Amino acid sequence: MASPAQHEGDDDEDYMDQFLDKFAHQKYKGGFSEDKWEEEFDQVPMFMKKAPDEIDPLKNPELACLQSIIFDDDRPLEEQAKTYKCEGNEYFKQRDYKKAVISYTEGLKKKCSDSELNVVLYTNRAAAQFYLGNRQSALKDVLAARKLKPSHLKAIIRGALCHVEMKNFAEALAWCDEGLALEPKETQLLELRQKADKLKRLQERDVRKAQMKEKKERSHKEALIKAIQNRGIKLSAPLQPCRQSSGDEEEEEEESLSGGLEQLSLGSCGHQVLLDEQGHLSWPVLFLYPEYGQTDLIAAFHEETRFVDHLAVMFGEERPSWDADRKYSPQDLQVSDQ
């Protein structure tokens, strides 16, 4: 005689047989399609490789439900902040730094009492800002992180990186030294310090070169002005900038002459008065031929040469094409400064 337990087992087997027989004649409607099963499989929240940017509750009801649970405002603030931190980390791994910044910011807005978590949020947001090119914002975040935890090594490293990128090499060295005092063998800090020190030396060299160049140019300009003054040459009034009187006539004359020299540049060519090593002046001279609407430029007209010498070259055997009638001959030309 069969026992009650045996009858129950037989009923279960009969039920399963009936269930399987049903699908021998009728296709299961809730299964994956044969040609698109991988795409459909990826829509299941548990197996998704990447969450959609915008979750549509109608298209992804399961995912929308999970999202509402995860971001439930009734949960403790620490849990909510941690959720945003994890979300930001996922965006960071995907190199979507803008969304990572948003997630970390939302986590910080929770103002939870877990200072360690807030330090991580600030430091991670600094990293995302750094990769976005927002060096100043990144530095502001690492400073906030270090205010909560001065010895946080990641914040120190990222702060040093920011200073290097911003060319604040002295500050970068200081940050590296602070970090190395905590971790003397930290490879990234050692490499950063070496890089910052090298760049600082190059920066200082460039500053010295720029100062020497400026000093040389100023000295040359002073010599040029002196040479013009010694020759008793006066620049015409339109070339002299308007300045208020300082009471020192000699100083005013030099300033006026200097300003006039800067304006002597001919158009975009940039030709100016030159002073050679022998103390001779060369001037840019523009010839105008109103009758034909033509011009000639002598970029460096040496003060010891004559106009006729230049005219002999300009209207010699190789005459300009516009002087087809050969009207311009050196011996017949008159030069006017008007």
Side-chain angles (χ1 to χ4, degrees):
M1 184 175 177
S3 64
Q6 287 176 320
H7 282 297
E8 289 179 6
D10 292 340
D11 291 341
D12 288 340
E13 289 180 5
D14 291 341
Y15 175 77
M16 287 301 298
D17 288 339
Q18 292 173 10
F19 182 78
L20 293 172
D21 287 340
K22 176 181 179 182
F23 293 106
H25 307 287
Q26 179 182 343
K27 188 175 180 179
Y28 177 53
K29 295 180 180 179
F32 296 119
S33 59
E34 293 181 5
D35 55 340
K36 296 183 178 180
W37 70 270
E38 290 183 344
E39 182 181 337
E40 294 172 357
F41 190 75
D42 193 46
Q43 297 302 312
V44 179
M46 185 178 292
F47 303 107
M48 279 184 173
K49 295 177 183 177
K50 183 181 177 181
D53 293 336
E54 299 293 337
I55 299 175
D56 187 344
L58 297 177
K59 293 181 179 179
N60 302 101
E62 299 92 347
L63 198 59
C65 182
L66 286 173
Q67 186 187 45
S68 65
I69 295 172
I70 292 172
F71 295 101
D72 184 6
D73 289 339
D74 292 333
R75 294 183 306 144
L77 295 176
E78 286 75 10
E79 286 187 20
Q80 294 180 52
K82 190 173 182 181
T83 298
Y84 281 114
K85 183 204 75 172
C86 294
E87 183 186 58
N89 291 349
E90 287 300 315
Y91 282 130
F92 193 93
K93 289 176 184 176
Q94 298 168 17
R95 299 185 180 181
D96 194 340
Y97 303 120
K98 287 184 179 180
K99 288 185 179 177
V101 167
I102 293 171
S103 296
Y104 296 136
T105 301
E106 289 300 316
L108 288 165
K109 284 181 179 179
K110 297 302 174 182
K111 297 182 179 180
C112 70
S113 57
D114 189 340
S115 61
E116 285 287 339
L117 178 55
N118 288 328
V119 167
V120 173
L121 285 166
Y122 275 122
T123 308
N124 288 4
R125 189 171 71 173
Q129 292 280 27
F130 180 86
Y131 283 109
L132 285 171
N134 303 330
R135 314 294 191 223
Q136 199 65 49
S137 295
L139 187 60
K140 185 178 178 181
D141 277 344
V142 295
L143 287 169
R146 291 197 67 191
K147 188 174 181 180
L148 294 173
K149 187 178 180 181
S151 62
H152 191 58
L153 199 61
K154 282 189 177 180
I156 294 174
I157 292 172
R158 285 166 189 169
L161 277 168
C162 287
H163 281 300
V164 168
E165 290 298 318
M166 296 165 67
K167 302 186 187 304
N168 301 329
F169 303 122
E171 289 84 350
L173 287 170
W175 279 62
C176 288
D177 289 340
E178 288 182 40
L180 290 169
L182 299 170
E183 286 289 340
K185 296 182 179 180
E186 172 56 49
T187 305
Q188 192 172 0
L189 279 176
L190 289 169
E191 292 175 353
L192 263 177
R193 196 190 190 289
Q194 185 178 12
K195 180 180 179 180
D197 184 58
K198 180 181 178 180
L199 291 173
K200 181 173 179 288
R201 293 174 187 274
L202 290 174
Q203 186 185 59
E204 290 171 346
R205 182 204 64 183
D206 291 342
V207 169
R208 288 195 299 271
K209 287 175 68 176
Q211 289 175 341
M212 289 176 63
K213 182 180 178 182
E214 183 183 354
K215 184 178 179 181
K216 185 177 180 180
E217 289 176 351
R218 185 169 59 250
S219 177
H220 179 77
K221 190 173 183 179
E222 289 172 356
L224 176 60
I225 292 172
K226 195 69 175 176
I228 293 174
Q229 288 175 328
N230 289 340
R231 286 161 175 76
I233 298 173
K234 299 290 183 179
L235 297 181
S236 60
L239 292 175
Q240 298 176 359
C242 296
R243 298 177 182 273
Q244 292 183 351
S245 176
S246 62
D248 190 330
E249 293 183 2
E250 185 177 348
E251 182 180 345
E252 285 184 5
E253 184 181 356
E254 288 190 8
E255 287 182 358
S256 178
L257 186 57
S258 175
L261 287 173
E262 291 175 2
Q263 296 181 56
L264 273 176
S265 173
L266 294 181
S268 60
C269 300
H271 297 291
Q272 295 182 336
V273 185
L274 303 175
L275 179 69
D276 62 24
E277 294 180 356
Q278 288 73 40
H280 296 130
L281 291 173
S282 293
W283 298 78
V285 177
L286 184 67
F287 290 81
L288 304 176
Y289 312 105
E291 182 181 0
Y292 293 96
Q294 299 291 329
T295 62
D296 271 327
L297 170 67
I298 298 177
F301 192 121
H302 196 279
E303 64 181 349
E304 293 187 353
T305 60
R306 300 176 303 168
F307 274 95
V308 68
D309 297 327
H310 289 283
L311 293 173
V313 175
M314 295 160 61
F315 298 99
E317 294 182 3
E318 296 184 7
R319 305 178 69 82
S321 59
W322 49 265
D323 186 23
D325 298 332
R326 304 180 69 84
K327 291 183 178 180
Y328 284 74
S329 298
Q331 63 272 16
D332 299 328
L333 291 174
Q334 292 184 351
V335 180
S336 171
D337 62 354
Q338 298 298 322

mmCIF file of all heavy atoms in Angstrom, residues 275-299:
data_model
loop_
_atom_site.group_PDB
_atom_site.id
_atom_site.type_symbol
_atom_site.label_atom_id
_atom_site.label_comp_id
_atom_site.label_asym_id
_atom_site.label_seq_id
_atom_site.Cartn_x
_atom_site.Cartn_y
_atom_site.Cartn_z
ATOM 1 N N LEU A 275 69.760 100.581 -36.420
ATOM 2 C CA LEU A 275 71.066 101.097 -36.022
ATOM 3 C C LEU A 275 72.055 99.947 -36.077
ATOM 4 O O LEU A 275 71.891 98.950 -35.359
ATOM 5 C CB LEU A 275 71.007 101.692 -34.611
ATOM 6 C CG LEU A 275 72.315 102.247 -34.050
ATOM 7 C CD1 LEU A 275 72.728 103.509 -34.810
ATOM 8 C CD2 LEU A 275 72.176 102.555 -32.558
ATOM 9 N N ASP A 276 73.073 100.056 -36.947
ATOM 10 C CA ASP A 276 74.022 98.945 -37.065
ATOM 11 C C ASP A 276 75.124 99.058 -36.019
ATOM 12 O O ASP A 276 75.172 100.021 -35.229
ATOM 13 C CB ASP A 276 74.603 98.862 -38.483
ATOM 14 C CG ASP A 276 75.393 100.107 -38.881
ATOM 15 O OD1 ASP A 276 75.877 100.825 -37.985
ATOM 16 O OD2 ASP A 276 75.520 100.353 -40.102
ATOM 17 N N GLU A 277 76.026 98.092 -36.013
ATOM 18 C CA GLU A 277 77.077 98.031 -34.998
ATOM 19 C C GLU A 277 78.064 99.194 -35.128
ATOM 20 O O GLU A 277 78.757 99.535 -34.165
ATOM 21 C CB GLU A 277 77.818 96.699 -35.108
ATOM 22 C CG GLU A 277 76.944 95.504 -34.759
ATOM 23 C CD GLU A 277 77.696 94.186 -34.869
ATOM 24 O OE1 GLU A 277 78.876 94.221 -35.294
ATOM 25 O OE2 GLU A 277 77.105 93.135 -34.541
ATOM 26 N N GLN A 278 78.168 99.785 -36.339
ATOM 27 C CA GLN A 278 79.064 100.926 -36.536
ATOM 28 C C GLN A 278 78.399 102.254 -36.173
ATOM 29 O O GLN A 278 79.019 103.322 -36.293
ATOM 30 C CB GLN A 278 79.528 100.976 -38.001
ATOM 31 C CG GLN A 278 80.519 99.879 -38.387
ATOM 32 C CD GLN A 278 79.869 98.519 -38.492
ATOM 33 O OE1 GLN A 278 78.755 98.417 -39.003
ATOM 34 N NE2 GLN A 278 80.553 97.487 -38.011
ATOM 35 N N GLY A 279 77.151 102.200 -35.728
ATOM 36 C CA GLY A 279 76.443 103.416 -35.328
ATOM 37 C C GLY A 279 75.784 104.144 -36.469
ATOM 38 O O GLY A 279 75.427 105.323 -36.330
ATOM 39 N N HIS A 280 75.593 103.476 -37.613
ATOM 40 C CA HIS A 280 74.937 104.093 -38.758
ATOM 41 C C HIS A 280 73.442 103.768 -38.747
ATOM 42 O O HIS A 280 73.043 102.658 -38.379
ATOM 43 C CB HIS A 280 75.564 103.595 -40.071
ATOM 44 C CG HIS A 280 76.997 103.980 -40.221
ATOM 45 N ND1 HIS A 280 77.989 103.077 -40.563
ATOM 46 C CD2 HIS A 280 77.624 105.184 -40.050
ATOM 47 C CE1 HIS A 280 79.147 103.694 -40.618
ATOM 48 N NE2 HIS A 280 78.959 104.985 -40.305
ATOM 49 N N LEU A 281 72.636 104.718 -39.183
ATOM 50 C CA LEU A 281 71.185 104.542 -39.247
ATOM 51 C C LEU A 281 70.749 104.125 -40.648
ATOM 52 O O LEU A 281 71.324 104.573 -41.645
ATOM 53 C CB LEU A 281 70.469 105.840 -38.872
ATOM 54 C CG LEU A 281 70.569 106.301 -37.419
ATOM 55 C CD1 LEU A 281 69.939 107.688 -37.279
ATOM 56 C CD2 LEU A 281 69.903 105.312 -36.486
ATOM 57 N N SER A 282 69.734 103.280 -40.704
ATOM 58 C CA SER A 282 69.078 102.932 -41.967
ATOM 59 C C SER A 282 67.586 103.128 -41.776
ATOM 60 O O SER A 282 67.015 102.684 -40.765
ATOM 61 C CB SER A 282 69.376 101.481 -42.355
ATOM 62 O OG SER A 282 70.746 101.316 -42.667
ATOM 63 N N TRP A 283 66.956 103.784 -42.751
ATOM 64 C CA TRP A 283 65.546 104.143 -42.624
ATOM 65 C C TRP A 283 64.704 103.408 -43.660
ATOM 66 O O TRP A 283 65.157 103.202 -44.801
ATOM 67 C CB TRP A 283 65.360 105.646 -42.850
ATOM 68 C CG TRP A 283 66.068 106.491 -41.842
ATOM 69 C CD1 TRP A 283 67.391 106.788 -41.795
ATOM 70 C CD2 TRP A 283 65.468 107.141 -40.721
ATOM 71 N NE1 TRP A 283 67.680 107.593 -40.726
ATOM 72 C CE2 TRP A 283 66.504 107.828 -40.045
ATOM 73 C CE3 TRP A 283 64.174 107.237 -40.229
ATOM 74 C CZ2 TRP A 283 66.290 108.589 -38.903
ATOM 75 C CZ3 TRP A 283 63.950 107.998 -39.092
ATOM 76 C CH2 TRP A 283 64.989 108.655 -38.433
ATOM 77 N N PRO A 284 63.460 103.060 -43.293
ATOM 78 C CA PRO A 284 62.541 102.546 -44.318
ATOM 79 C C PRO A 284 61.991 103.722 -45.128
ATOM 80 O O PRO A 284 61.538 104.716 -44.555
ATOM 81 C CB PRO A 284 61.427 101.875 -43.499
ATOM 82 C CG PRO A 284 61.443 102.590 -42.186
ATOM 83 C CD PRO A 284 62.854 103.029 -41.948
ATOM 84 N N VAL A 285 62.118 103.654 -46.446
ATOM 85 C CA VAL A 285 61.691 104.765 -47.299
ATOM 86 C C VAL A 285 60.690 104.248 -48.332
ATOM 87 O O VAL A 285 60.965 103.269 -49.034
ATOM 88 C CB VAL A 285 62.892 105.426 -48.012
ATOM 89 C CG1 VAL A 285 62.410 106.528 -48.955
ATOM 90 C CG2 VAL A 285 63.874 105.985 -46.992
ATOM 91 N N LEU A 286 59.557 104.907 -48.404
ATOM 92 C CA LEU A 286 58.502 104.530 -49.340
ATOM 93 C C LEU A 286 58.414 105.567 -50.455
ATOM 94 O O LEU A 286 58.267 106.764 -50.189
ATOM 95 C CB LEU A 286 57.158 104.430 -48.605
ATOM 96 C CG LEU A 286 55.953 103.953 -49.422
ATOM 97 C CD1 LEU A 286 56.124 102.496 -49.834
ATOM 98 C CD2 LEU A 286 54.672 104.134 -48.624
ATOM 99 N N PHE A 287 58.542 105.121 -51.708
ATOM 100 C CA PHE A 287 58.416 105.990 -52.869
ATOM 101 C C PHE A 287 56.992 105.887 -53.427
ATOM 102 O O PHE A 287 56.489 104.769 -53.602
ATOM 103 C CB PHE A 287 59.409 105.575 -53.965
ATOM 104 C CG PHE A 287 60.840 105.867 -53.623
ATOM 105 C CD1 PHE A 287 61.569 105.023 -52.804
ATOM 106 C CD2 PHE A 287 61.459 107.007 -54.128
ATOM 107 C CE1 PHE A 287 62.894 105.277 -52.496
ATOM 108 C CE2 PHE A 287 62.790 107.285 -53.824
ATOM 109 C CZ PHE A 287 63.505 106.417 -53.005
ATOM 110 N N LEU A 288 56.377 107.042 -53.693
ATOM 111 C CA LEU A 288 55.022 107.073 -54.245
ATOM 112 C C LEU A 288 55.051 107.668 -55.650
ATOM 113 O O LEU A 288 55.711 108.700 -55.885
ATOM 114 C CB LEU A 288 54.098 107.918 -53.360
ATOM 115 C CG LEU A 288 53.992 107.517 -51.888
ATOM 116 C CD1 LEU A 288 53.106 108.508 -51.142
ATOM 117 C CD2 LEU A 288 53.425 106.110 -51.756
ATOM 118 N N TYR A 289 54.338 107.038 -56.582
ATOM 119 C CA TYR A 289 54.216 107.541 -57.951
ATOM 120 C C TYR A 289 52.725 107.737 -58.230
ATOM 121 O O TYR A 289 52.058 106.873 -58.802
ATOM 122 C CB TYR A 289 54.824 106.544 -58.941
ATOM 123 C CG TYR A 289 56.203 106.059 -58.534
ATOM 124 C CD1 TYR A 289 56.380 104.782 -58.014
ATOM 125 C CD2 TYR A 289 57.309 106.898 -58.657
ATOM 126 C CE1 TYR A 289 57.629 104.342 -57.634
ATOM 127 C CE2 TYR A 289 58.574 106.457 -58.293
ATOM 128 C CZ TYR A 289 58.733 105.179 -57.765
ATOM 129 O OH TYR A 289 59.980 104.752 -57.389
ATOM 130 N N PRO A 290 52.191 108.893 -57.815
ATOM 131 C CA PRO A 290 50.743 109.144 -57.923
ATOM 132 C C PRO A 290 50.209 109.010 -59.340
ATOM 133 O O PRO A 290 49.071 108.578 -59.546
ATOM 134 C CB PRO A 290 50.585 110.570 -57.398
ATOM 135 C CG PRO A 290 51.814 110.817 -56.579
ATOM 136 C CD PRO A 290 52.904 110.037 -57.236
ATOM 137 N N GLU A 291 51.026 109.396 -60.332
ATOM 138 C CA GLU A 291 50.562 109.372 -61.716
ATOM 139 C C GLU A 291 50.156 107.963 -62.149
ATOM 140 O O GLU A 291 49.186 107.788 -62.895
ATOM 141 C CB GLU A 291 51.667 109.899 -62.631
ATOM 142 C CG GLU A 291 51.265 109.965 -64.103
ATOM 143 C CD GLU A 291 52.396 110.474 -64.990
ATOM 144 O OE1 GLU A 291 53.494 110.779 -64.455
ATOM 145 O OE2 GLU A 291 52.178 110.572 -66.206
ATOM 146 N N TYR A 292 50.872 106.973 -61.642
ATOM 147 C CA TYR A 292 50.601 105.585 -62.040
ATOM 148 C C TYR A 292 49.988 104.757 -60.902
ATOM 149 O O TYR A 292 49.689 103.582 -61.090
ATOM 150 C CB TYR A 292 51.891 104.914 -62.514
ATOM 151 C CG TYR A 292 52.441 105.496 -63.796
ATOM 152 C CD1 TYR A 292 53.435 106.468 -63.765
ATOM 153 C CD2 TYR A 292 51.940 105.080 -65.026
ATOM 154 C CE1 TYR A 292 53.938 107.019 -64.930
ATOM 155 C CE2 TYR A 292 52.446 105.627 -66.208
ATOM 156 C CZ TYR A 292 53.439 106.586 -66.163
ATOM 157 O OH TYR A 292 53.933 107.124 -67.328
ATOM 158 N N GLY A 293 49.845 105.360 -59.730
ATOM 159 C CA GLY A 293 49.294 104.624 -58.588
ATOM 160 C C GLY A 293 50.201 103.484 -58.152
ATOM 161 O O GLY A 293 49.731 102.414 -57.761
ATOM 162 N N GLN A 294 51.530 103.701 -58.208
ATOM 163 C CA GLN A 294 52.507 102.680 -57.873
ATOM 164 C C GLN A 294 53.358 103.131 -56.684
ATOM 165 O O GLN A 294 53.429 104.323 -56.351
ATOM 166 C CB GLN A 294 53.416 102.398 -59.078
ATOM 167 C CG GLN A 294 52.705 101.875 -60.315
ATOM 168 C CD GLN A 294 52.168 100.470 -60.112
ATOM 169 O OE1 GLN A 294 52.739 99.676 -59.374
ATOM 170 N NE2 GLN A 294 51.044 100.166 -60.768
ATOM 171 N N THR A 295 54.021 102.151 -56.053
ATOM 172 C CA THR A 295 54.919 102.441 -54.932
ATOM 173 C C THR A 295 56.161 101.568 -55.013
ATOM 174 O O THR A 295 56.157 100.518 -55.658
ATOM 175 C CB THR A 295 54.233 102.172 -53.570
ATOM 176 O OG1 THR A 295 53.884 100.779 -53.497
ATOM 177 C CG2 THR A 295 53.006 103.022 -53.384
ATOM 178 N N ASP A 296 57.214 102.029 -54.360
ATOM 179 C CA ASP A 296 58.447 101.252 -54.166
ATOM 180 C C ASP A 296 58.849 101.389 -52.713
ATOM 181 O O ASP A 296 58.648 102.448 -52.098
ATOM 182 C CB ASP A 296 59.576 101.775 -55.054
ATOM 183 C CG ASP A 296 59.589 101.095 -56.420
ATOM 184 O OD1 ASP A 296 59.235 99.913 -56.469
ATOM 185 O OD2 ASP A 296 59.934 101.770 -57.418
ATOM 186 N N LEU A 297 59.439 100.342 -52.154
ATOM 187 C CA LEU A 297 59.890 100.381 -50.767
ATOM 188 C C LEU A 297 61.362 100.003 -50.686
ATOM 189 O O LEU A 297 61.773 98.962 -51.193
ATOM 190 C CB LEU A 297 59.069 99.423 -49.893
ATOM 191 C CG LEU A 297 59.609 99.201 -48.468
ATOM 192 C CD1 LEU A 297 59.502 100.502 -47.657
ATOM 193 C CD2 LEU A 297 58.872 98.069 -47.781
ATOM 194 N N ILE A 298 62.135 100.873 -50.045
ATOM 195 C CA ILE A 298 63.503 100.523 -49.676
ATOM 196 C C ILE A 298 63.482 100.297 -48.170
ATOM 197 O O ILE A 298 63.322 101.237 -47.387
ATOM 198 C CB ILE A 298 64.494 101.642 -50.059
ATOM 199 C CG1 ILE A 298 64.477 101.851 -51.573
ATOM 200 C CG2 ILE A 298 65.900 101.289 -49.578
ATOM 201 C CD1 ILE A 298 65.375 102.984 -52.044
ATOM 202 N N ALA A 299 63.607 99.049 -47.759
ATOM 203 C CA ALA A 299 63.438 98.699 -46.344
ATOM 204 C C ALA A 299 64.532 99.290 -45.471
ATOM 205 O O ALA A 299 64.279 99.670 -44.325
ATOM 206 C CB ALA A 299 63.392 97.177 -46.189
#
